[in-house]
Amino acid sequence: TGLIDIDPRLEFPRNILVTVLRPDLLVYSPFKRRMLVGELTVSLEENVLAAHERKYRKYEALLESCKRCGWKLN
């Protein structure tokens, strides 16, 4: 199953975790309990590391919560 955040009504799947966060890309298998989360970032070359760190911190707690619920991240 996959979700891409192009619709403002898109929600993170409640069968995984209840959250208001919406990553740009989510591919997941309920059967295998595996997921791939992607976040798009367009920044100037000198800001790439700062943008990466900002996005990582934004979703860090969400991803840790998913792990605690038994999901494996790719």
Side-chain angles (χ1 to χ4, degrees):
T1 305
L3 300 172
I4 300 175
D5 186 15
I6 56 174
D7 184 340
R9 297 169 295 170
L10 181 73
E11 293 181 357
F12 196 84
R14 293 182 181 273
N15 61 321
I16 297 175
L17 194 70
V18 176
T19 181
V20 296
L21 293 175
R22 299 178 351 188
D24 292 329
L25 174 68
L26 175 66
V27 179
Y28 65 101
S29 168
F31 178 73
K32 293 183 178 183
R33 294 187 66 82
R34 296 182 71 89
M35 71 171 61
L36 173 68
V37 177
E39 184 69 13
L40 303 175
T41 303
V42 178
S43 61
L44 296 174
E45 197 170 308
E46 60 270 10
N47 295 329
V48 169
L49 293 176
H52 170 75
E53 189 64 30
R54 185 178 65 252
K55 294 289 186 162
Y56 179 81
R57 283 192 311 269
K58 179 178 179 180
Y59 292 102
E60 184 177 22
L62 171 68
L63 299 177
E64 288 301 318
S65 294
C66 290
K67 287 180 189 177
R68 282 193 301 275
C69 291
W71 287 83
K72 294 185 179 162
L73 306 172
N74 289 14

